[in-house]
Amino acid sequence: MVPAEVHAQAYENAKAAGVSMGRYLAELIRRDQVDDNGRPVWAAEAFGDHEQVPLTG
C-alpha cells in the first residue's frame, strides 16, 4: 500500500509530465540507480542498512 499523500504526489508529478501514473512509475523504476548487488543506492538511507528479507507474494 502507498500512503495517500505519496500517491497524490506521484499523481501530480505524472499529470505535470503529461503521462499516466503507470508510465510515470515505469520510468522512475527504469531510471533507478542500483549498486553492484542490485539494491537501489538510496535504500540504506531510506530503510536502514540491514540484510534484505526476500518478499513473497
Side-chain angles (χ1 to χ4, degrees), residues 1-14 21 24-25:
M1 298 293 294
V2 177
E5 64 275 5
V6 174
H7 183 279
Q9 183 63 61
Y11 178 81
E12 289 302 317
N13 293 357
M21 180 81 111
Y24 175 73
L25 293 174

Side-chain angles (χ1 to χ4, degrees), residues 7-55:
H7 183 279
Q9 183 63 61
Y11 178 81
E12 289 302 317
N13 293 357
K15 184 176 169 183
V19 297
S20 69
M21 180 81 111
R23 187 165 180 196
Y24 175 73
L25 293 174
E27 192 62 22
L28 285 178
I29 294 165
R30 189 184 73 74
R31 292 172 178 255
D32 203 5
Q33 295 180 1
V34 297
D35 64 17
D36 292 336
N37 295 315
R39 188 175 191 207
V41 297
W42 50 265
E45 180 184 334
F47 308 124
D49 197 20
H50 54 79
E51 184 176 334
Q52 293 291 306
V53 177
L55 300 177

